[in-house]
């Protein structure tokens, strides 16, 4: 029996070959949470919702200082 490894998002177990190389995500989690570029700093981050277009760091700055003008 082959060893199974947990997806880092949903924690379900899959063969190692079925998980993504970088973040060890299953196919369903890769589709549900794609990697996108932040609108402000252009770094790549994993999108939590379809409306979220900025990374957590920039979201914190917007919350603290207001939107970029």
């Amino acid at each position: 029996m082959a060893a199974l490894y947990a997806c880092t998002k949903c924690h379900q177990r899959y063969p190692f070959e079925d998980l993504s190389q970088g973040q060890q995500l299953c196919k369903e989690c890769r589709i549900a949470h794609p990697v996108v570029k932040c609108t402000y700093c252009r770094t790549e981050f994993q999108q939590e919702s379809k409306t979220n277009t900025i990374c957590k760091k920039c979201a914190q700055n917007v919350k603290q200082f207001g939107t970029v003008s």
Side-chain angles (χ1 to χ4, degrees), residues 4-58:
L4 298 178
Y5 298 86
C7 170
T8 56
K9 260 303 188 211
C10 68
H11 305 290
Q12 292 185 38
R13 298 196 173 270
Y14 297 92
F16 187 75
E17 300 81 37
D18 291 352
L19 299 175
S20 66
Q21 286 185 342
Q23 296 179 325
Q24 304 300 306
L25 297 172
C26 68
K27 185 177 181 179
E28 291 82 19
C29 289
R30 283 194 307 269
I31 292 169
H33 306 286
V35 174
V36 296
K37 287 193 177 188
C38 176
T39 303
Y40 296 129
C41 68
R42 307 302 296 159
T43 59
E44 291 184 342
F45 72 101
Q46 203 163 10
Q47 191 177 31
E48 297 296 325
S49 68
K50 297 290 182 191
T51 59
N52 184 15
T53 60
I54 60 175
C55 67
K56 289 180 181 181
K57 179 183 171 192
C58 290

Side-chain angles (χ1 to χ4, degrees), residues 56-67:
K56 289 180 181 181
K57 179 183 171 192
C58 290
Q60 181 64 32
N61 287 338
V62 167
K63 185 177 177 183
Q64 185 176 1
F65 302 110
T67 56

